[in-house]
């Protein structure tokens, strides 16, 4: 167990990988921040950085376990679909035929056209039809995909950070603090997430920032519980005692030993959690308490088209629905493979 | 056993009180209900009068104490919109939700258990893998989208079943239920199926894991040595063993079933308390929201108790230990 | 005609660590009413031999060679359905661990009645009556009431009696009893032993009694087969093998029974540990632990030497008759 105490070694082949993963993680976060705030590098460049960073992170994660991960056709299909969908979401603005939220590009005369029809002056084809305001459904889906993915990704990441901090703190502090924190966690987890989120959104009102906050509040307890469990079993192990005995400061033990051990189960959980969050967000948006009308997610697109479905104009709801199913199923399947690859003991 | 139950009771009371605090102050932040109660051109005197009638003029903590006092007497205020006592209003909507959730639960067991047991039996074969991949889709399909799809297929295209609404109801123990009339059942089928799908995937996974584990036990081998058929081994020996954890989990999930009914009821225009909640949120009908939450918490607590009891009844080992104490 | 005739049975486990030859060329035969004691250390392949007879070897295990003739019929040729109609009916097995063999959530009644009705079209009541009679036979007091109980309401010894009763329910022609008494205390052990012996005599049931304890079979078995690392290293009529063991391993087993050796002699133990079944030595598997082993033993595995009177052994340097325990 003492071998777990890492000594920086120039010849360690894992060193390069660790460096790569850290750099790409920072790049991904920076790119995300720039895109969300609209400052810094030009958007196209930031998007490329984001995509490449994500791919490197995935490669680092699966290093040496590709064979196990790709153990069947489903794994290939899921990974390929996920990759395609993520690319579509990142480059939504560049790829979509129309900016569906630029009112100058819309013509109410093109409203509710079936798939394959062309616009009034025959300059573009609506491959998936249009909605009641003459918006191209395909463009709407690409933009909606981006909203859905980024909302849940950001919410999951932030919830994870909060959960990790609380979980490790509880495990490290022990005693009363731990008991109180875990009581709060239990209390929150005893209510279905949709109910909590619904109440929060009812209180906050619609809005991108508000739904992100609501989704964070709904999720953090889940991570806190998991992290505390792992951290607790780690703190009992000998090498932590050894590290303490060596007089290492607390933060080094936490960041050097506790955190790395909590990461693999967290990655598996958070992958699946991103999918769950997308579903939750879309449900809230469907109920009318989610994202604002000006930035519709897939769920809101489905809700908008719902009224026309019974009259046979299915495409307004159906195609966004298929996109939603595709992204959620792809993430869930990749998560399922990840669970088997990284941590076979962990099961739903 | 008694001590255990008392401890659980104390915990429940604590949860209830905590919920009261959270709910009251949470809901307090939603808009100003007076705005929707009074027409915009009302005189200040009228506004004042309404405020006083609903108690909005007093400080928050007085309102809260009043709220707690009334809540203990089963009074959670009157609906601003319907003018009825909120608790009564919700209770009148509750049977529709409960019967929907129960039928959904039955569906999820009826679908999930056979699939899961079979997937566990054929764990390494393509059948088992196919079922597991299918269950991922079950997890991934958003509730409202499944509902829409079912409406599109069975109501719009095939015209086999009605699309939305509740249909005929029959009075039973003072509640109006659809489940006992064939017309009402037709209306229930699609929403219950929608509600069941997610849980069915969960049950499939649970049943598969349980089956895989049970099949490795000696008693299964011994049952084979007795010359029993595989069917009997799977659906008597294995099933009886895995039903205990499944019932426990499902019982606990009944609460989340009721919560998720919010979405399903909206899709199918099912007049249950979920739809009432959404309508109340849009109209800022505060007492109804509060009453909904408090009643849901109460239901959760009751469910948890019931699960404990059922668990004890199902597992003979627990039962005997319980008698011993 | 013999009830059971096993010829050169091979059952291997194909594990990640390599092929484990749990049963590697086992042969014996058994006539009606006969009792065979199958003796050997833990891990020598006794249980796997028993499961092979019932075709109940768990994967990754597989019967890869040899023949099992039951009343002249090759069991490997039977369809799954035919094999199932034999199990629990003509061939019954009592498992090693009484705590695990009964289903914890089913009543004893259910577990006994289903065993009868799997093979006979009779009413529940009739099957229940037979269950009561059989329970009484194995010494369960007030059996009619006990039928309603769950396994955990019985003690270990009682559970093993129930398992034995289940094996007896359909009056099988062959019972494989896998260390049925090891988990029990000594008084109950001898009680059950006597009961089973009597039952076998009465009904003409052939019995394979698996044990690691030679003392148990000494008074019970008509013949003995001693197993070591998947092979039968010595077999013969009980009296003959116990009196004059030829294989050093048998002799070692005998030497480690307290009170058996001649008075004043030191109690001997077999040195060393049971072999790793995944990596057996190339010659005789017992050679590393054998005081008499020579170079030949480490190079080639000995074949079977038949010395008449039903006795045989696998050894290059057998103990001379009359020499007794080394
Ligand atoms: N499922 C399995 N997978 C791999 N190897 C196995 C398996 N079951 C049995 N074996 C191997 O078969 C050998 C014989 O096992 P068996 O259970 O027959 O021993 P035994 O003689 O009954 O021992 P005991 O007295 O402990 O019951 C063991 O050494 C073991 O290595
Ligand atoms: Mg054994």
């Amino acid at each position: 167990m003492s071998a777990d105490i890492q000594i920086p070694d120039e010849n360690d082949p894992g060193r390069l990988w660790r460096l790569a993963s850290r750099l790409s993680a920072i790049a991904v976060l920076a790119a995300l921040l720039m895109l969300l705030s609209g400052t810094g590098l030009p958007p196209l460049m930031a998007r490329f950085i984001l995509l490449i960073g994500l791919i490197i992170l995935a490669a680092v994660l699966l290093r040496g376990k590709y064979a196990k991960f790709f153990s069947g056709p489903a794994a290939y299909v899921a990974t390929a679909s996920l990759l395609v969908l993520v690319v579509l979401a990142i480059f939504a603005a560049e790829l979509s035929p129309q900016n569906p939220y630029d009112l100058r590009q819309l013509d109410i005369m093109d409203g509710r056209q079936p798939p394959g029809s062309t616009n009034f002056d025959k300059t573009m084809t609506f491959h998936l039809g249009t909605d009641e305001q003459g918006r191209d459904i395909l463009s709407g889906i690409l933009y909606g995909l981006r909203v859905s993915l980024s909302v849940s990704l950001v919410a999951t990441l932030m919830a994870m950070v909060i959960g990790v901090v609380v979980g490790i703190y509880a495990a490290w502090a022990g005693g009363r603090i731990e008991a109180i924190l875990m009581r709060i966690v239990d209390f929150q987890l005893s209510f279905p997430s949709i109910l909590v989120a619904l109440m929060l959104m009812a209180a906050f009102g619609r809005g991108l920032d508000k739904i992100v906050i609501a989704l964070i509040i709904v999720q953090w307890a889940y991570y806190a519980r998991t992290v505390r469990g792992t951290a607790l079993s780690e703190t009992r192990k000998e090498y932590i005692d050894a590290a303490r005995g060596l007089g290492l400061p607390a933060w080094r033990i936490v960041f050097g030993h506790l955190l790395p051990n909590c990461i693999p189960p967290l990655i598996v959980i958070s992958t699946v959690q991103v999918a769950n969050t997308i579903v939750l967000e879309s449900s809230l948006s469907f109920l009318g308490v989610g994202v604002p009308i000006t930035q519709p997610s897939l769920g809101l697109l489905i809700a908008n088209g719902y009224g026309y479905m019974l009259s046979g104009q299915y495409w307004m709801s159906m195609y966004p629905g298929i996109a939603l199913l595709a992204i959620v199923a792809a993430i869930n399947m990749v998560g399922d493979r990840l669970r088997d690859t990284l941590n076979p003991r962990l099961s739903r | 056993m008694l001590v255990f139950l008392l401890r659980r009771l104390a915990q429940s009371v604590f949860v209830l009180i905590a919920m009261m605090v959270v709910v009251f102050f949470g809901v307090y932040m939603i808009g100003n209900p007076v705005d929707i109660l009074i027409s915009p051109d009302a005189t200040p005197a009228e506004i004042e009068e309404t405020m006083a009638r609903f108690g909005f003029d007093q400080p928050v903590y007085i309102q809260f104490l009043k709220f707690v006092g009334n809540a203990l007497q089963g009074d959670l205020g009157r609906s601003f919109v319907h003018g009825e006592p909120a608790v009564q209003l919700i209770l009148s909507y509750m049977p529709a939700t409960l019967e929907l959730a129960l039928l959904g639960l039955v569906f999820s067991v009826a679908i999930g258990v056979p699939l899961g047991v079979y997937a566990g039996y054929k764990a390494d074969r393509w059948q088992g893998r196919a079922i597991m991949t299918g269950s991922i889709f079950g997890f991934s399909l958003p509730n409202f989208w499944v509902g829409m799809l079912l409406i599109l297929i069975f109501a719009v295209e095939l015209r086999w079943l009605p699309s939305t609404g509740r249909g005929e109801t029959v009075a039973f123990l003072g509640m109006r239920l659809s489940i006992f009339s064939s017309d009402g059942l037709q209306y229930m089928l699609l929403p219950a199926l929608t509600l069941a799908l997610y849980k069915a995937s969960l049950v499939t996974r649970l049943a598969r894991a349980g089956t895989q584990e049970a099949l490795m036990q000696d008693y299964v081998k011994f049952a084979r040595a007795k010359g029993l058929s595989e069917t009997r081994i799977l659906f008597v020996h294995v099933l009886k063993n895995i039903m205990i954890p499944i019932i426990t989990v499902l019982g606990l999930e009944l609460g989340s079933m009721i919560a998720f009914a919010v979405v399903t009821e909206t899709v199918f225009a099912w007049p249950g308390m979920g739809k009432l909640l959404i309508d109340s949120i849009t109209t800022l009908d505060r007492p109804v929201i509060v009453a909904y939450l408090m009643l849901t918490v109460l239901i959760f607590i009751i469910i948890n108790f019931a699960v404990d009891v059922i668990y004890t009844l199902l597992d003979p080992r627990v039962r005997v230990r319980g008698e011993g104490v | 005609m013999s009830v059971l005739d096993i010829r050169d049975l091979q059952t291997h486990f194909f594990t990640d660590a390599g092929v484990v030859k749990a049963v590697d060329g086992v042969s014996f035969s058994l006539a009606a009413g006969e009792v065979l004691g199958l003796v050997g250390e833990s891990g020598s392949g006794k249980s796997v031999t028993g499961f092979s007879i019932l075709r109940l070897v768990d994967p990754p295990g597989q019967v890869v060679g040899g023949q099992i003739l039951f009343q002249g019929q090759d069991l490997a040729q039977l369809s799954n359905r035919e094999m199932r109609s034999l199990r629990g009916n003509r061939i019954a097995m009592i498992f090693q661990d009484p705590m695990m063999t009964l289903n914890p959530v089913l009543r004893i009644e259910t577990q006994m009645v289903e065993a009868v009705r799997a093979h006979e079209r009779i009413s529940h009541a009739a099957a229940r009556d037979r269950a009561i009679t059989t329970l009484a036979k194995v010494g369960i007091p007030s059996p009619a009431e006990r039928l309603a109980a769950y396994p955990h309401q019985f003690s270990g010894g009682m559970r093993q009696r129930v398992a034995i009763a289940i094996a007896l329910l359909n009056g099988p022609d062959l019972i494989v009893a896998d260390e049925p008494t090891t988990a029990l205390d000594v008084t109950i052990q001898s009680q059950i032993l006597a009961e089973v012996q009597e039952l076998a005599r009465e009904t003409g049931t052939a019995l394979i009694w698996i044990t690691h304890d030679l003392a148990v079979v000494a008074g019970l078995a008509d013949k003995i087969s001693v197993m070591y690392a998947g092979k039968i290293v010595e077999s013969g009529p009980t009296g003959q093998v116990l009196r004059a063991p030829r294989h050093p391993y048998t002799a070692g087993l005998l030497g480690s029974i307290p009170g058996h050796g001649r008075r004043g002699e030191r109690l001997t133990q077999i040195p060393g540990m049971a072999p790793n079944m995944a990596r057996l030595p190339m010659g005789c598997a017992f050679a590393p632990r054998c005081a008499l082993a020579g170079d030949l033993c480490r190079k080639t595995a000995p074949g079977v030497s038949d010395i008449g009177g039903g006795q045989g052994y696998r050894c290059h340097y057998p103990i001379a008759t009359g020499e007794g325990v080394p």
Side-chain angles (χ1 to χ4, degrees), chain C residues 267-286:
Chain C
L267 195 68
T268 52
Q269 285 257 312
I270 306 174
M273 291 213 311
N276 177 353
M277 294 290 284
R279 263 177 281 121
L280 287 179
M282 59 180 284
C284 172
F286 187 58

PDB file of all heavy atoms in Angstrom, chain C residues 267-286:
ATOM      1  N   LEU C 267       1.405 -40.933  16.381  1.00  0.00           N
ATOM      2  CA  LEU C 267       0.397 -40.562  15.396  1.00  0.00           C
ATOM      3  C   LEU C 267       1.103 -39.861  14.232  1.00  0.00           C
ATOM      4  O   LEU C 267       1.726 -38.831  14.404  1.00  0.00           O
ATOM      5  CB  LEU C 267      -0.606 -39.609  16.043  1.00  0.00           C
ATOM      6  CG  LEU C 267      -1.898 -39.384  15.303  1.00  0.00           C
ATOM      7  CD1 LEU C 267      -2.731 -40.640  15.296  1.00  0.00           C
ATOM      8  CD2 LEU C 267      -2.662 -38.255  15.964  1.00  0.00           C
ATOM      9  N   THR C 268       1.001 -40.426  13.030  1.00  0.00           N
ATOM     10  CA  THR C 268       1.675 -39.786  11.901  1.00  0.00           C
ATOM     11  C   THR C 268       0.727 -38.869  11.157  1.00  0.00           C
ATOM     12  O   THR C 268      -0.480 -39.051  11.173  1.00  0.00           O
ATOM     13  CB  THR C 268       2.212 -40.836  10.912  1.00  0.00           C
ATOM     14  OG1 THR C 268       1.138 -41.707  10.580  1.00  0.00           O
ATOM     15  CG2 THR C 268       3.359 -41.593  11.494  1.00  0.00           C
ATOM     16  N   GLN C 269       1.292 -37.886  10.490  1.00  0.00           N
ATOM     17  CA  GLN C 269       0.512 -36.954   9.679  1.00  0.00           C
ATOM     18  C   GLN C 269       1.106 -36.963   8.284  1.00  0.00           C
ATOM     19  O   GLN C 269       2.301 -37.188   8.115  1.00  0.00           O
ATOM     20  CB  GLN C 269       0.636 -35.554  10.270  1.00  0.00           C
ATOM     21  CG  GLN C 269      -0.184 -35.356  11.527  1.00  0.00           C
ATOM     22  CD  GLN C 269      -1.430 -34.583  11.249  1.00  0.00           C
ATOM     23  OE1 GLN C 269      -1.372 -33.566  10.598  1.00  0.00           O
ATOM     24  NE2 GLN C 269      -2.556 -35.057  11.736  1.00  0.00           N
ATOM     25  N   ILE C 270       0.255 -36.719   7.283  1.00  0.00           N
ATOM     26  CA  ILE C 270       0.813 -36.609   5.943  1.00  0.00           C
ATOM     27  C   ILE C 270       1.491 -35.255   5.842  1.00  0.00           C
ATOM     28  O   ILE C 270       0.846 -34.222   6.066  1.00  0.00           O
ATOM     29  CB  ILE C 270      -0.285 -36.726   4.879  1.00  0.00           C
ATOM     30  CG1 ILE C 270      -1.068 -38.014   5.093  1.00  0.00           C
ATOM     31  CG2 ILE C 270       0.306 -36.669   3.488  1.00  0.00           C
ATOM     32  CD1 ILE C 270      -2.241 -38.156   4.187  1.00  0.00           C
ATOM     33  N   PRO C 271       2.790 -35.229   5.539  1.00  0.00           N
ATOM     34  CA  PRO C 271       3.463 -33.937   5.462  1.00  0.00           C
ATOM     35  C   PRO C 271       3.013 -33.150   4.229  1.00  0.00           C
ATOM     36  O   PRO C 271       2.491 -33.722   3.276  1.00  0.00           O
ATOM     37  CB  PRO C 271       4.932 -34.329   5.362  1.00  0.00           C
ATOM     38  CG  PRO C 271       4.926 -35.682   4.737  1.00  0.00           C
ATOM     39  CD  PRO C 271       3.664 -36.353   5.196  1.00  0.00           C
ATOM     40  N   GLY C 272       3.236 -31.858   4.278  1.00  0.00           N
ATOM     41  CA  GLY C 272       2.945 -31.025   3.110  1.00  0.00           C
ATOM     42  C   GLY C 272       1.471 -30.653   3.013  1.00  0.00           C
ATOM     43  O   GLY C 272       0.669 -30.972   3.885  1.00  0.00           O
ATOM     44  N   MET C 273       1.148 -29.977   1.942  1.00  0.00           N
ATOM     45  CA  MET C 273      -0.217 -29.477   1.768  1.00  0.00           C
ATOM     46  C   MET C 273      -0.858 -30.080   0.523  1.00  0.00           C
ATOM     47  O   MET C 273      -0.169 -30.583  -0.358  1.00  0.00           O
ATOM     48  CB  MET C 273      -0.193 -27.956   1.596  1.00  0.00           C
ATOM     49  CG  MET C 273       0.193 -27.218   2.860  1.00  0.00           C
ATOM     50  SD  MET C 273      -0.640 -25.642   2.961  1.00  0.00           S
ATOM     51  CE  MET C 273      -0.328 -24.957   1.365  1.00  0.00           C
ATOM     52  N   ALA C 274      -2.192 -30.031   0.495  1.00  0.00           N
ATOM     53  CA  ALA C 274      -2.912 -30.498  -0.684  1.00  0.00           C
ATOM     54  C   ALA C 274      -2.393 -29.733  -1.903  1.00  0.00           C
ATOM     55  O   ALA C 274      -2.092 -28.547  -1.811  1.00  0.00           O
ATOM     56  CB  ALA C 274      -4.398 -30.258  -0.507  1.00  0.00           C
ATOM     57  N   PRO C 275      -2.266 -30.417  -3.039  1.00  0.00           N
ATOM     58  CA  PRO C 275      -1.621 -29.788  -4.199  1.00  0.00           C
ATOM     59  C   PRO C 275      -2.508 -28.725  -4.844  1.00  0.00           C
ATOM     60  O   PRO C 275      -3.724 -28.731  -4.685  1.00  0.00           O
ATOM     61  CB  PRO C 275      -1.428 -30.955  -5.152  1.00  0.00           C
ATOM     62  CG  PRO C 275      -2.532 -31.905  -4.807  1.00  0.00           C
ATOM     63  CD  PRO C 275      -2.725 -31.771  -3.333  1.00  0.00           C
ATOM     64  N   ASN C 276      -1.840 -27.820  -5.569  1.00  0.00           N
ATOM     65  CA  ASN C 276      -2.567 -26.835  -6.358  1.00  0.00           C
ATOM     66  C   ASN C 276      -3.064 -27.529  -7.625  1.00  0.00           C
ATOM     67  O   ASN C 276      -2.288 -27.959  -8.466  1.00  0.00           O
ATOM     68  CB  ASN C 276      -1.611 -25.692  -6.709  1.00  0.00           C
ATOM     69  CG  ASN C 276      -2.269 -24.654  -7.587  1.00  0.00           C
ATOM     70  OD1 ASN C 276      -3.393 -24.840  -8.055  1.00  0.00           O
ATOM     71  ND2 ASN C 276      -1.570 -23.562  -7.815  1.00  0.00           N
ATOM     72  N   MET C 277      -4.396 -27.630  -7.741  1.00  0.00           N
ATOM     73  CA  MET C 277      -4.965 -28.428  -8.821  1.00  0.00           C
ATOM     74  C   MET C 277      -4.714 -27.836 -10.198  1.00  0.00           C
ATOM     75  O   MET C 277      -4.829 -28.518 -11.203  1.00  0.00           O
ATOM     76  CB  MET C 277      -6.472 -28.590  -8.593  1.00  0.00           C
ATOM     77  CG  MET C 277      -6.808 -29.405  -7.370  1.00  0.00           C
ATOM     78  SD  MET C 277      -6.384 -31.126  -7.578  1.00  0.00           S
ATOM     79  CE  MET C 277      -7.717 -31.652  -8.653  1.00  0.00           C
ATOM     80  N   ALA C 278      -4.416 -26.535 -10.251  1.00  0.00           N
ATOM     81  CA  ALA C 278      -4.178 -25.931 -11.560  1.00  0.00           C
ATOM     82  C   ALA C 278      -2.751 -26.215 -12.040  1.00  0.00           C
ATOM     83  O   ALA C 278      -2.456 -26.119 -13.225  1.00  0.00           O
ATOM     84  CB  ALA C 278      -4.426 -24.433 -11.507  1.00  0.00           C
ATOM     85  N   ARG C 279      -1.852 -26.558 -11.111  1.00  0.00           N
ATOM     86  CA  ARG C 279      -0.460 -26.801 -11.530  1.00  0.00           C
ATOM     87  C   ARG C 279       0.072 -28.063 -10.841  1.00  0.00           C
ATOM     88  O   ARG C 279       0.859 -28.005  -9.911  1.00  0.00           O
ATOM     89  CB  ARG C 279       0.418 -25.593 -11.184  1.00  0.00           C
ATOM     90  CG  ARG C 279       0.620 -24.656 -12.372  1.00  0.00           C
ATOM     91  CD  ARG C 279       1.426 -23.443 -11.987  1.00  0.00           C
ATOM     92  NE  ARG C 279       0.597 -22.454 -11.298  1.00  0.00           N
ATOM     93  CZ  ARG C 279       0.854 -22.022 -10.071  1.00  0.00           C
ATOM     94  NH1 ARG C 279       1.887 -22.479  -9.403  1.00  0.00           N
ATOM     95  NH2 ARG C 279       0.069 -21.131  -9.523  1.00  0.00           N
ATOM     96  N   LEU C 280      -0.391 -29.181 -11.325  1.00  0.00           N
ATOM     97  CA  LEU C 280       0.047 -30.453 -10.736  1.00  0.00           C
ATOM     98  C   LEU C 280       1.428 -30.809 -11.268  1.00  0.00           C
ATOM     99  O   LEU C 280       1.765 -30.478 -12.410  1.00  0.00           O
ATOM    100  CB  LEU C 280      -0.958 -31.552 -11.095  1.00  0.00           C
ATOM    101  CG  LEU C 280      -2.298 -31.474 -10.355  1.00  0.00           C
ATOM    102  CD1 LEU C 280      -3.207 -32.593 -10.801  1.00  0.00           C
ATOM    103  CD2 LEU C 280      -2.091 -31.541  -8.847  1.00  0.00           C
ATOM    104  N   PRO C 281       2.238 -31.510 -10.452  1.00  0.00           N
ATOM    105  CA  PRO C 281       3.544 -31.956 -10.942  1.00  0.00           C
ATOM    106  C   PRO C 281       3.376 -32.976 -12.065  1.00  0.00           C
ATOM    107  O   PRO C 281       2.308 -33.565 -12.213  1.00  0.00           O
ATOM    108  CB  PRO C 281       4.181 -32.575  -9.701  1.00  0.00           C
ATOM    109  CG  PRO C 281       3.041 -32.928  -8.819  1.00  0.00           C
ATOM    110  CD  PRO C 281       1.976 -31.907  -9.084  1.00  0.00           C
ATOM    111  N   MET C 282       4.437 -33.214 -12.837  1.00  0.00           N
ATOM    112  CA  MET C 282       4.237 -34.054 -14.011  1.00  0.00           C
ATOM    113  C   MET C 282       4.102 -35.544 -13.679  1.00  0.00           C
ATOM    114  O   MET C 282       3.274 -36.216 -14.269  1.00  0.00           O
ATOM    115  CB  MET C 282       5.308 -33.821 -15.076  1.00  0.00           C
ATOM    116  CG  MET C 282       6.735 -34.071 -14.651  1.00  0.00           C
ATOM    117  SD  MET C 282       7.852 -33.741 -16.048  1.00  0.00           S
ATOM    118  CE  MET C 282       7.588 -35.176 -17.048  1.00  0.00           C
ATOM    119  N   GLY C 283       4.796 -36.047 -12.742  1.00  0.00           N
ATOM    120  CA  GLY C 283       4.694 -37.474 -12.427  1.00  0.00           C
ATOM    121  C   GLY C 283       3.494 -37.778 -11.566  1.00  0.00           C
ATOM    122  O   GLY C 283       2.392 -37.334 -11.839  1.00  0.00           O
ATOM    123  N   CYS C 284       3.731 -38.560 -10.497  1.00  0.00           N
ATOM    124  CA  CYS C 284       2.668 -38.864  -9.544  1.00  0.00           C
ATOM    125  C   CYS C 284       2.359 -37.606  -8.733  1.00  0.00           C
ATOM    126  O   CYS C 284       3.265 -36.938  -8.241  1.00  0.00           O
ATOM    127  CB  CYS C 284       3.136 -39.984  -8.607  1.00  0.00           C
ATOM    128  SG  CYS C 284       1.995 -40.298  -7.248  1.00  0.00           S
ATOM    129  N   ALA C 285       1.076 -37.265  -8.620  1.00  0.00           N
ATOM    130  CA  ALA C 285       0.704 -36.017  -7.951  1.00  0.00           C
ATOM    131  C   ALA C 285       1.058 -36.050  -6.468  1.00  0.00           C
ATOM    132  O   ALA C 285       1.237 -35.021  -5.831  1.00  0.00           O
ATOM    133  CB  ALA C 285      -0.791 -35.744  -8.130  1.00  0.00           C
ATOM    134  N   PHE C 286       1.192 -37.258  -5.913  1.00  0.00           N
ATOM    135  CA  PHE C 286       1.460 -37.375  -4.485  1.00  0.00           C
ATOM    136  C   PHE C 286       2.960 -37.350  -4.172  1.00  0.00           C
ATOM    137  O   PHE C 286       3.357 -37.166  -3.027  1.00  0.00           O
ATOM    138  CB  PHE C 286       0.821 -38.663  -3.952  1.00  0.00           C
ATOM    139  CG  PHE C 286       0.888 -38.805  -2.460  1.00  0.00           C
ATOM    140  CD1 PHE C 286       0.329 -37.843  -1.630  1.00  0.00           C
ATOM    141  CD2 PHE C 286       1.522 -39.902  -1.876  1.00  0.00           C
ATOM    142  CE1 PHE C 286       0.392 -37.978  -0.251  1.00  0.00           C
ATOM    143  CE2 PHE C 286       1.593 -40.033  -0.493  1.00  0.00           C
ATOM    144  CZ  PHE C 286       1.020 -39.062   0.319  1.00  0.00           C
TER     145      PHE C 286
END
